[in-house]
Amino acid sequence: MKRPDTDTRRDEPIPQQTIPDEQTQLGQPEEALSEGRAKTQPEAVSTALPLEPSDVEVPGADEERAASALVQEDASVATYVVRKEEEQPSFETEAYAEKLQPSGQGFTFKLPSREQVIAWAPFLGLVLLGAILRFWNLGDKPLHHDESLHAYYSLMLMHNMENWLSCFSPTSSCYHYDPLLHGPFQFHAIALVYKICQLLGFSDNGVNTTTVRIAAATLGTVIVGLPFFIRDYLGKYGALLASFLLAISPSLVYFSRFAREDIYMACFTLLLVVSMARYCRDRSLKWLITGSVAFALSYATKEATFLTVAILGSFFVGLVVWDIAVRFPFAQDIPEGAPKAAKFLPRTWAPLALLILAVVVAPVALAFFHYMHAVSLYINDPKTQPLANNFVANLKNITVAIVPWLGIALGIYVLVILMLEYFEKLPVYDGRRRGVAKSVDPVRQPLLDVVTTMPWMHWVFAILCGWAVFLILFTVLFTNIRGGIGDGIWQGLYYWLQQQQVARGEQPWYYYFMLIPLYEQIGLVFGLVGVVRCLRRPSRFRLFLVYWFVGSVFIYSWAGEKMPWLMIHMTMPMMLLAALGLQPAVVTVVDWARQRLNARASTPVGVPVTSRPLSSGRAFGSIAVLVLALLLLVPTLQNMFQVTYVHAADGPHEMMVYVQTTFDVNKVMAKVDAVDNKLYHGEKKLPVSVVSDATWPFAWYLRDYHQTTFLNIDSQNVCPPLSTNAPVVIVGGDCLATYKALYKNQYVVSTYHMRTWWDEGYKPPPCVPTNTNNCAGQPTWGGVGPLLWLSYGDMPPAHAQFNLGSAASHVWNWWWYRQAIGSTDGSYDMAVLVRKDLAS
């Protein structure tokens, strides 16, 4: 079986030298806004999806009842507007004009009221829980191969910024954006943390394994608090459940303690979703700016933002089509003698238009994916790659030439608008709807209403703020303006297309269908329940969550690169759905308990309690659901504890831990420090030679040893000869056997595991060449398949078949005892060679 990729970054540059106030009253909670419409429309299949979900199946929840007055008010307004449409289709009513006025335009600060503090308190408690789980012993785990790259080049960036003016020189070696290492955000963030910790007097001059991960842990904690801002979409208990599930999710906790770009991107993606949801509700400029900045930060973090655009953008297009078609009647007048099936016909063309869109888009999407595959083959072919490189270089040059003119055009546009306003040449806003907005029904076409009534100032400021973030990060604080703009727009996409053919990890399509169930029990089960609930009682936001989750699972399973850290992009929407799946049971039990307590408090002593507004069967059914949730929570917490705190660097026993650096790296560094203490009294002056197959993570661990030399391995010099005067040599497994044989008389060799990994016997069986199939383009190595691997590990007996009992036993033993299912021998070894006269 082929070992997995030990380096998830290919062709890394080898270092030549170690470079010394939200408005908290969020409107009405999640309720049905279709009540007013129902009074004016015949009983048939509804085609105007409510803005928020209907929770009428949840009986008597206090927070639901507390908002009933607001819902009735909104329903009355909706009814009035719909009725008014029949008389005067302009929608220019005083009542609606008052509701349309944008709210919360200013950034004002107010001391929170007692009610606000009470509303915030449980969320703050969950954020604190998330922070504790993410920051506790944050620096204990050794740096992963990729983390060491990020840590090293962030340190280089910090030193660059200390001499910022020198980086403007074309001959400088300052940090520039390189898609190989993904976007520039994480390097700026980690460098900033380094500097702050340095100024605060942290150990190791502010640079250590803890400070490398502070930015990741911080944004991982931010994720926990974001459901607070959409509690009117999720419901009070739904938002609390979402925060709790995000706080304890094994994958989100583990990768929040991991200095890779995915946790940053996950945070910015959720922030983008929250901002757009809030803007659609509040029409507040600050939320549109927040969403624009979140998108720019996500793009400056990782190229997988293209996948986010595909998912969110396609849902947006679907909503636009729905809103346009909802104004065209289809089967509103059904005769009395019509068949019973006629009542299921849609009233408008909206569902049919969406179906037509799907039918049209599906082959287009397949053709697009095929085209992307062909482009990936083209740009990876050695014969055509130079042509592709030249084409992208020309695109960069054209872009850099055009961008300044676009900026000038935007500036002129803004200036003209401001002058027209100054000279009072623009119509004064009086609540009237103008232009396209006059033909938009704000109740039945809410998304079109948002788009057509958006003030020019909103989108201009949003674009400017997003563009400012792009410029600052990709130009590396304006030190590489020309290269930063061109590379930021085109090079990331080009590199991403290249990697689709490389397909690092070489994982099968079902990889996440094995990985997620092993770790996320409560999230997976109730996430699927949430999907069903959202489809049974849909709203635009609920359908978006389902689309986001399903789309993420599909697109990341389709993408060529499949790595465990990518699972958080599926886990996050799954947790929001799980919260919606759990919410009815929680609300029912809480309401039932309150009724019982209130009945006991109001009943004289000795008189039996007889009031049962809620049926006992419903209450006990909800209690059974919560018991199931607690049973699923136990293995979830067990998995979170094991992978985060017990086996965080133990690849053979954790599928989520991918080719992880072992704690043996600390033993190697202890030997290096011991020799340095003997020769140079701990002044870090020891000359150390590092063969390139061990460059990472040792380029970072040896950052203070300025006499470090890196020896390159290439096709001409497979294992470069050593100078026998070198006091210490660190070598990876590719040259380990060679050096052991050549230098056993001059050096004392100590061998360790550099990286270890989970057994990959679950991969499909290898292709076996036959007379009719030469296996061209097919893997000639692999595993035994997922079912046999679960049943017998990576060495099943001949003619073995899937055994459900054995598979369940293996999973159970792994959950509770961490007994590996397959082999635990997967490792990439290293050795430290200490000259014999220094080894004693």
Side-chain angles (χ1 to χ4, degrees), residues 128-337:
L128 178 61
L129 171 64
I132 292 172
L133 293 175
R134 285 153 177 78
F135 281 92
W136 187 267
N137 292 335
L138 184 60
D140 284 2
K141 182 179 65 175
L143 290 189
H144 184 275
H145 171 277
D146 293 359
E147 287 184 293
S148 66
L149 281 157
H150 305 155
Y152 180 87
Y153 287 104
S154 297
L155 179 60
M156 186 180 76
L157 176 59
M158 184 188 75
H159 291 317
N160 294 159
M161 293 302 100
E162 291 172 345
N163 299 281
W164 179 61
L165 291 177
S166 66
C167 292
F168 284 88
S169 171
T171 59
S172 70
S173 59
C174 293
Y175 165 80
H176 288 168
Y177 162 64
D178 183 351
L180 171 70
L181 303 175
H182 294 298
F185 168 78
Q186 66 177 327
F187 299 99
H188 288 76
I190 297 172
L192 178 62
V193 171
Y194 283 162
K195 195 62 182 179
I196 293 173
C197 294
Q198 188 181 85
L199 295 175
L200 294 175
F202 278 39
S203 61
D204 299 317
N205 203 27
V207 181
N208 52 56
T209 53
T210 298
T211 57
V212 168
R213 297 175 175 136
I214 284 178
T218 300
L219 292 185
T221 304
V222 169
I223 290 175
V224 177
L226 288 178
F228 170 83
F229 298 101
I230 49 173
R231 61 192 187 279
D232 49 347
Y233 286 92
L234 298 174
K236 173 185 173 182
Y237 290 108
L240 284 169
L241 287 167
S243 289
F244 173 72
L245 293 174
L246 291 170
I248 58 92
S249 163
S251 58
L252 286 167
V253 173
Y254 182 81
F255 290 113
S256 294
R257 300 163 57 89
F258 198 83
R260 269 195 59 90
E261 58 278 351
D262 291 277
I263 195 65
Y264 310 127
M265 178 184 163
C267 178
F268 298 139
T269 301
L270 184 56
L271 180 59
L272 173 62
V273 169
V274 169
S275 299
M276 294 302 97
R278 288 257 51 83
Y279 184 78
C280 289
R281 177 67 62 86
D282 300 342
R283 310 292 180 89
S284 175
L285 173 60
K286 61 187 176 186
W287 283 114
L288 190 62
I289 290 177
T290 302
S292 175
V293 170
F295 175 76
L297 288 172
S298 177
Y299 183 77
T301 297
K302 194 174 184 183
E303 297 75 20
T305 301
F306 295 124
L307 302 181
T308 304
V309 170
I311 296 171
L312 273 60
S314 57
F315 187 82
F316 176 83
V317 171
L319 277 186
V320 169
V321 170
W322 180 284
D323 277 6
I324 292 174
V326 79
R327 294 294 299 274
F328 298 94
F330 181 76
Q332 286 190 340
D333 300 323
I334 301 175
E336 293 184 1

Side-chain angles (χ1 to χ4, degrees), residues 84-116:
K84 194 72 176 174
E85 177 189 11
E86 300 172 359
E87 305 167 8
Q88 183 180 356
S90 65
F91 307 107
E92 297 174 3
T93 63
E94 252 185 86
Y96 184 72
E98 291 177 1
K99 282 183 68 67
L100 189 62
Q101 293 284 356
S103 62
Q105 297 297 328
F107 292 86
T108 58
F109 174 77
K110 296 180 181 179
L111 289 175
S113 64
R114 180 175 178 273
E115 290 76 13
Q116 289 172 334

